Amino acid sequence: QVQLVESGGGVVQAGGSLRLSCVASRITFSSYTMGWYRQAPGNQRELVATITTGGNTNYADSVKGRFTISRDNAKNTVYLQMNNLTPEDTGVYYCNARGLWGGVNRNYWGQGTQVTVSS
């Protein structure tokens, strides 16, 4: 069974930094677009950043210039470096893997890691 396990969340003051990690297992990691999404209380889940198999990145406007997504295919891991955090960044951050495998579109989610930014 595919697993995506996030880590690195926590409580940080505004202006601080956190680095999230997501380790994937039982998938051919290099064949998947990886992404980070977040969900704040009362809000829908929203895109934060994605990185394709070729390393192309995409960011939500709200995090551009502050967050950086990267991947290490040798470690089956995707990272999210978050700098200059604000209270609006608070939420549960989810790792996502999506791709075409065996002729079927695949879409996997982790359990999420909580990020809380205090003012």
Side-chain angles (χ1 to χ4, degrees):
Q1 188 169 348
V2 174
Q3 280 192 315
L4 302 177
V5 180
E6 303 99 333
S7 63
V11 180
V12 64
Q13 288 189 331
S17 298
L18 285 174
R19 188 194 196 203
L20 305 183
S21 300
C22 169
V23 180
S25 59
R26 301 185 180 89
I27 61 171
T28 304
F29 182 81
S30 59
S31 298
Y32 284 76
T33 290
M34 300 301 297
W36 288 97
Y37 291 73
R38 68 186 179 190
Q39 188 167 16
N43 291 355
Q44 291 187 337
R45 193 173 297 188
E46 63 177 3
L47 169 73
V48 176
T50 60
I51 184 166
T52 69
T53 57
N56 294 317
T57 58
N58 180 54
Y59 296 93
D61 287 343
S62 60
V63 307
K64 282 180 182 177
R66 300 187 299 122
F67 291 12
T68 302
I69 188 170
S70 61
R71 66 190 297 160
D72 185 339
N73 289 341
K75 296 182 178 180
N76 282 11
T77 302
V78 61
Y79 305 97
L80 185 69
Q81 177 66 44
M82 306 186 293
N83 298 327
N84 195 20
L85 285 159
T86 73
E88 288 69 35
D89 295 315
T90 294
V92 179
Y93 283 68
Y94 297 92
C95 178
N96 173 261
R98 60 182 172 85
L100 182 66
W101 190 256
V104 178
N105 287 316
R106 312 284 179 171
N107 194 34
Y108 303 109
W109 293 94
Q111 292 298 307
T113 185
Q114 177 70 45
V115 171
T116 302
V117 185
S118 61
S119 58

